[in-house]
């Protein structure tokens, strides 16, 4: 089903209006959103995406609606995985918490621009060359394999673009509010705020290379690809603050996403074989293969995500990850200089650390030892104990 230019225009205007609303009413004044604020606005954006899907079902038909929901759910799951990397980048640059919203909104806008470009390039290639489905399928299968063997996200912030920027331009390690440029000794210099945005933008391009082939594996309707991608990015900023501290609990998310991407990769390869015109495959003739329906794709995607989330939340390893992260949080709070002037508050935070540490010690050691960055966390906790001992001596 074709989509008229009027519908395209209305859709783009609505998306731009949502982004403008987000900036002027939430981002312009730097602040740390409360859990309640993040939950409400996350729900609103998800609700908008679902209402749009219902409209697609009504006016576009069941097949088009199913394609939208399959694409939206897949892209949303990939976006949540992307938040892990955003978390690492923001932490490595030590972005002030009240300014993190601005960085995240920039990432969303840049991601939307980059993915839109990839969508139209991908659509043009698909229309001209059926063999592009082979390429997309292989990309997804390779990505799935990389997700399975991924042990460390690495220091994404320390990439080539950042090193080049620091080499070519004057930079400072000190933030000046949310300014992108500031003056040091009378010279105009780049602040870390601009550098972190460059890092986010660079990783967004890499994310697009994975996500766009994935959604093209579910639908070739450019309007559905665009809207499912756009609405999956809406509310990602609020979701970041809502899930902050809980992201590490989803320890099996990478495995679930690997299964989904591998499934879509196989679907793409089967579709490529069905549409085959490469002379070295079946003499350039179409290959009679089973094609996976959109309904089956939607069922598999939802089923894998449900199993992944439940396994993460109820597994002993997931509970150990959460408890150890709580220990780390209390240790960081204790080491914060703001607590050194208030003895009562210091004792309160230290008691929380001891209580959480005692709970962790009741868990099976093999699960505790598998927690990500466990040695770094142990060193941080030991530092907190050392600081407390010195405090008591004084």
């Amino acid at each position: 089903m074709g989509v008229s230019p009027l519908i395209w225009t209305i859709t783009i205007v609505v998306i731009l209006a949502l982004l403008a609303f987000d900036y002027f009413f939430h981002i312009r004044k730097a602040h740390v959103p409360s859990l309640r604020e993040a939950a409400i606005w996350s729900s609103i954006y998800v609700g908008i995406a679902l209402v749009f899907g219902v409209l697609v079902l009504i006016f576009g038909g069941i097949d088009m609606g199913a394609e939208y929901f399959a694409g939206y759910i897949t892209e949303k799951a990939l976006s949540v995985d992307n938040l892990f990397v955003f978390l690492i980048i923001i932490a490595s640059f030590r972005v002030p918490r009240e300014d993190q919203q601005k960085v995240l909104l920039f990432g969303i806008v840049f991601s939307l621009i980059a993915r839109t470009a990839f969508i139209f390039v991908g659509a043009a290639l698909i229309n001209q060359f059926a063999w592009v489905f082979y390429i997309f399928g292989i990309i997804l299968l390779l990505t799935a394999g990389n997700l399975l063997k991924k042990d460390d996200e690495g220091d994404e912030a320390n990439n080539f673009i950042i090193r080049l920027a620091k080499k070519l331009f004057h930079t400072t390690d000190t933030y000046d509010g949310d300014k992108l440029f500031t003056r040091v000794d009378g010279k105009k210099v780049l602040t870390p705020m601009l550098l972190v945005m460059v890092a986010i933008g660079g990783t967004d391009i890499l994310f697009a290379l994975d996500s766009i082939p994935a959604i093209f594996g579910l639908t070739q309707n450019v309007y559905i690809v665009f809207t499912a991608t756009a609405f999956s990015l809406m509310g990602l900023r609020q979701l970041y603050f809502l899930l902050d501290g809980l992201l590490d609990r989803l320890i099996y998310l990478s495995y679930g996403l690997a299964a989904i991407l591998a499934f879509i990769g196989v679907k793409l390869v089967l579709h490529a074989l069905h549409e085959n015109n490469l002379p070295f495959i079946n003499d350039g003739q179409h290959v009679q293969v089973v094609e996976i329906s959109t309904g089956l794709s939607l069922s598999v995607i939802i089923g894998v995500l449900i199993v992944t989330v439940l396994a993460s939340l109820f597994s002993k390893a997931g509970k150990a990850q959460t408890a150890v992260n709580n220990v780390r949080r209390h240790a960081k709070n204790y080491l914060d200089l703001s607590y050194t002037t208030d003895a009562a508050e210091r004792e309160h935070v230290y008691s929380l650390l001891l209580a959480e540490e005692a709970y962790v010690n009741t868990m099976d050691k093999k699960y505790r030892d598998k927690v990500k960055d466990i040695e770094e966390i142990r060193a941080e906790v030991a530092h907190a104990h050392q600081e407390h001992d010195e405090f008591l001596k004084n």
Side-chain angles (χ1 to χ4, degrees), residues 31-38 97-98 101 237-238 241:
H31 72 287
V32 180
S34 65
L35 188 63
R36 181 174 179 271
E37 178 186 338
R97 192 159 175 80
E98 64 270 18
Q101 292 197 89
R237 174 184 62 80
Q238 292 86 350
F241 289 96

Side-chain angles (χ1 to χ4, degrees), residues 198-214:
V198 172
I200 292 283
T203 53
D204 275 333
I205 293 175
L206 297 178
F207 294 153
L209 292 175
D210 296 337
S211 68
I212 297 308

Side-chain angles (χ1 to χ4, degrees), residues 59-195:
F59 295 103
I62 294 177
D63 289 341
M64 196 171 176
E67 288 175 356
Y68 168 79
F69 281 112
Y72 172 75
I73 293 170
T74 300
E75 290 298 306
K76 198 68 174 179
L78 289 170
S79 295
V80 171
D81 189 51
N82 295 348
L83 288 180
F84 284 99
V85 181
F86 286 169
L87 194 65
I88 292 169
I89 293 174
I90 288 172
S92 66
F93 278 97
R94 300 184 183 277
V95 179
R97 192 159 175 80
E98 64 270 18
D99 294 322
Q100 290 179 7
Q101 292 197 89
K102 187 172 184 178
V103 173
L104 290 166
L105 184 61
F106 167 82
I108 291 169
V109 172
F110 188 90
S111 181
L112 185 57
I113 294 171
R115 294 183 192 205
T116 299
F118 277 105
I119 286 169
F120 285 103
V121 170
L125 288 173
I126 287 171
N127 289 333
Q128 289 291 113
F129 311 105
W131 51 262
V132 170
F133 286 112
Y134 286 115
I135 304 298
F136 282 1
I138 291 170
I139 288 173
L140 293 184
L141 291 172
L142 290 174
T143 303
N146 287 333
L147 282 172
L148 288 176
K149 69 179 183 180
K150 180 174 64 177
D151 295 320
D152 187 13
E153 301 286 358
D155 187 1
E156 297 287 346
N158 189 27
N159 59 32
F160 172 75
I161 297 175
I162 298 302
R163 294 197 301 271
L164 185 64
K166 288 184 174 181
K167 195 171 184 179
L168 297 178
F169 304 101
H170 294 293
T171 63
T172 177
D173 293 328
T174 305
Y175 285 90
D176 185 5
D178 60 0
K179 293 179 181 178
L180 304 181
F181 299 90
T182 190
R183 288 193 174 275
V184 176
D185 298 328
K187 294 182 179 179
K188 194 173 185 179
V189 296
L190 306 180
T191 69
M193 181 63 69
L194 181 58
L195 295 179

Side-chain angles (χ1 to χ4, degrees), residues 249-313:
R249 181 72 182 268
L250 301 176
I251 59 174
Y252 298 125
L253 181 60
S254 291
Y255 297 101
L257 290 176
I260 290 172
L261 293 181
F263 171 78
I264 298 175
V266 170
K267 183 177 186 292
L268 275 170
V269 172
L270 290 174
H271 182 71
L273 289 169
H274 186 266
E275 301 291 327
N276 179 65
N277 55 13
L278 294 177
F280 53 85
I281 298 178
N282 199 35
D283 295 326
Q285 301 300 311
H286 301 333
V287 180
Q288 295 299 319
V289 293
V290 175
E291 287 215 79
I292 301 171
S293 68
T294 303
L296 177 59
S297 298
L298 182 58
S299 300
V300 169
I301 291 166
I302 293 175
V304 170
L305 286 176
I306 289 174
V307 170
T308 299
V309 171
L310 291 178
S312 297
L313 294 178

